Amino acid sequence: LASAATVNVTRPDLVETAISNPPATKTRGGTFTVTDTVKNQGSVNAVASATRYYLSQDQQRSSVDVLLSGSRSVPNLTAGTTSRASVTVRIPTATPPGTYYLLACADDLAAVSEVDETNNCRASTSRVVVH
């Protein structure tokens, strides 16, 4: 026997809504501060997760991007709420010299089962020259 009512099963959806721009230039091994905002735009609560940061030659996350040392913990987020924080990141000394966008990727370790797993990263609007 089926129920008369329908049940809508859904999940959280974490997105980066803001990221600070990197400095104009930086040396390999150098540090800088990143500020970002994560929002749970889903309709149910999200468990705690981690945001990680990358250098990318384009504005899309890919396997060739450089993972920066330094991440931040994002607390449990109720539906519709945000978490904003700053963290100091370090550019690995093995990073190839070049010009990069800064990426912030919410739930980068996939701790949260989300409605959309493809919308977690946001790129800076300006780039950093790494030398």
Side-chain angles (χ1 to χ4, degrees), residues 20 23 26 28 42 47 51 59 62 66 116 124:
S20 57
K26 212 66 189 159
R28 292 177 287 173
V47 298
T51 295
Q59 293 181 306
S62 72
V66 177
D116 185 351
S124 60

Side-chain angles (χ1 to χ4, degrees), residues 21-127:
N21 282 317
T25 62
K26 212 66 189 159
T27 58
R28 292 177 287 173
T31 63
F32 62 95
T33 300
V34 179
T35 302
D36 71 287
T37 304
V38 176
K39 180 178 183 177
N40 178 4
Q41 68 181 13
S43 57
V44 296
N45 298 347
V47 298
S49 62
T51 295
R52 298 198 306 178
Y53 307 93
Y54 294 86
L55 295 179
S56 177
Q57 292 183 337
D58 57 25
Q59 293 181 306
Q60 303 298 315
R61 172 80 176 89
S62 72
S63 61
V64 298
D65 293 341
V66 177
L67 175 64
L68 300 176
S69 297
S71 62
R72 80 171 179 98
S73 296
V74 176
N76 296 349
L77 290 176
T78 58
T81 61
T82 62
S83 169
R84 183 175 192 266
S86 298
V87 65
T88 299
V89 296
R90 179 177 303 278
I91 301 169
T93 55
T95 303
T99 303
Y100 298 93
Y101 290 97
L102 173 65
L103 301 179
C105 295
D107 189 34
D108 198 48
L109 298 173
V112 180
S113 179
E114 300 179 60
V115 170
D116 185 351
E117 298 284 358
T118 66
N119 64 352
N120 292 30
C121 296
R122 183 176 196 93
S124 60
T125 55
S126 69
R127 297 186 291 173

